[in-house]
Each structure stands twice: as structure tokens, then as C-alpha cells.
Amino acid sequence: MNPDTPNAFVAYTVIMLAHGDRYLLLHRSPAKKFMPNLWTGLGGLVEAHEYDDLSRSALRELHEEAGVEAADITHFALRRVLLHARPGGPLTLLLYYTAGWPSESAPPCSEGTLHWVTRAQFDALDIIDTTRPVLPLLADDLRDDPRGLAPVKLGIAVHHAGGADVFWGGR
């Protein structure tokens, strides 16, 4: 499947690791073809054989990109799911996970560099447009429900010339 085809469906995982009130974000390498030099969480494409266990896909990406094993993190939880279609692109599902990270050190990353940031620093970062409105909500989710027991929240991104607006059912 070609993810650049408008008549296609793809899913991606995004994981935000937290340590206290700091969040580990990826500054994507300028050499990346897709979204170079932008900020996001760790994650990537859900492979066709992983649709029966989406969490497994997120954990695989976490391991591939940063060498982090499931046993290294705590309270791993799917928090938010965002559906969007960029003009000319496929229908895309973004699965946003959070987890606790026990250390202040950042693991090495094959996709760019990892940095600890606070919520107050989000606005100063050039974050991928569909992820920008989600990161503060994930920080709130972690504060209000640290174990990730609340229901998953669903949203839709609507694209326009200036970027994307995100609408959530029930916030």
C-alpha cells in the first residue's frame, strides 16, 4: 500500500513519555523525507499484521526508535485517537499513547534527537500540525489520570490552508 494515495487507509502511533512534569519529544532529523525538522512523540506506521494489536505496534516503534522495552515504562495507555485526511493523502488514524519513563535521561533515537520539554515549552516548538493540539491534552490526561484508566477520547482533524483544526468528542 502506498500511504500517499488518497484512496487508502493508514494508521500511525505516537507515544509521549513522561517523567514528572516533563515530556520526551522527538525533534525529527532534517534528513527525514516525511515532516523533517518537526517535533512529535515517538512512533510510526502500524504495519498490516499489527491491526489486531495496535499497542504492540506502538511498543515495536518505541523499541525500534529508542531501544525502549515495554518493561522499561509504566502506565502505558492509549489516550486519544485522531482521524484525519490531508488533501491528496490517505485517510489516517493517529493513535496517541502515553507512558511513564523512570529516568531523566533520554535514550538515543534513530529518528532524530529526543529532548525533555515542559508543557510551557510546547508553543515554542515547530510541532507536526495534527499533533500540536494533542500534546497539551495528553499532558492534562497524564495529570488527571496518571494510570490511563479513563476511556479513550476520539477526535477529527479538519485541514485547511493554515494547518489543521482538531475537534474532540467530549474534550
Side-chain angles (χ1 to χ4, degrees), residues 83-114:
L83 181 65
H84 74 95
R86 290 185 189 282
L91 182 61
T92 303
L93 193 68
L94 295 171
L95 305 157
Y96 289 94
Y97 291 85
T98 61
W101 179 249
S103 170
E104 290 187 12
S105 65
C109 182
S110 63
E111 300 292 315
T113 56
L114 295 173

Side-chain angles (χ1 to χ4, degrees), residues 16 38 43 49 62 79 111 122 125 128 145 156 169:
M16 186 168 79
L38 296 181
H49 68 278
L62 189 60
R79 301 290 188 139
E111 300 292 315
F122 290 168
L125 302 176
I128 293 174
D145 177 26
I156 296 174

Side-chain angles (χ1 to χ4, degrees), residues 4 6 17 26 33 37 63-64 76 79 81-82 89 98 103 110 113-114 116 119 125 132 145 147 169:
D4 296 325
L17 297 178
L26 168 64
K33 180 181 173 186
N37 252 349
H63 177 71
E64 287 179 5
F76 178 69
R79 301 290 188 139
V81 175
L82 184 64
T98 61
S103 170
S110 63
T113 56
L114 295 173
W116 286 107
R119 183 180 171 161
L125 302 176
R132 172 172 292 291
D145 177 26
R147 295 184 56 207

Side-chain angles (χ1 to χ4, degrees), residues 81-83 133 154-160 164-171:
V81 175
L82 184 64
L83 181 65
L154 304 175
I156 296 174
V158 178
H159 290 270
H160 50 80
D165 291 324
V166 175
F167 304 95
W168 295 100
R171 186 186 171 323

Side-chain angles (χ1 to χ4, degrees), residues 123-137:
D123 287 341
L125 302 176
D126 194 8
I127 298 170
I128 293 174
D129 64 347
T130 48
T131 298
R132 172 172 292 291
V134 181
L135 291 182
L137 298 174

Side-chain angles (χ1 to χ4, degrees), residues 6-164:
N7 192 25
F9 176 80
V10 294
Y12 293 90
T13 62
V14 180
I15 304 167
M16 186 168 79
L17 297 178
H19 182 80
D21 62 351
R22 295 176 4 156
Y23 308 98
L24 194 61
L25 296 183
L26 168 64
H27 185 211
R28 292 178 56 81
S29 166
K32 298 306 273 181
K33 180 181 173 186
F34 179 73
M35 304 286 182
N37 252 349
L38 296 181
W39 291 78
T40 189
L42 290 159
L45 182 68
V46 175
E47 296 177 4
H49 68 278
E50 294 173 321
Y51 277 89
D52 65 336
D53 188 350
L54 297 169
S55 293
R56 182 178 70 211
S57 178
L59 292 169
R60 175 189 51 78
E61 286 287 348
L62 189 60
H63 177 71
E64 287 179 5
E65 292 186 2
V68 174
E69 301 286 345
D72 298 334
I73 58 177
T74 60
H75 306 303
F76 178 69
L78 176 61
R79 301 290 188 139
R80 293 180 180 262
V81 175
L82 184 64
L83 181 65
H84 74 95
R86 290 185 189 282
L91 182 61
T92 303
L93 193 68
L94 295 171
L95 305 157
Y96 289 94
Y97 291 85
T98 61
W101 179 249
S103 170
E104 290 187 12
S105 65
C109 182
S110 63
E111 300 292 315
T113 56
L114 295 173
H115 302 270
W116 286 107
V117 298
T118 63
R119 183 180 171 161
Q121 293 171 304
F122 290 168
D123 287 341
L125 302 176
D126 194 8
I127 298 170
I128 293 174
D129 64 347
T130 48
T131 298
R132 172 172 292 291
V134 181
L135 291 182
L137 298 174
L138 291 174
D140 291 348
D141 294 343
L142 282 161
R143 181 196 63 222
D144 299 340
D145 177 26
R147 295 184 56 207
L149 302 176
V152 175
K153 294 176 178 73
L154 304 175
I156 296 174
V158 178
H159 290 270
H160 50 80

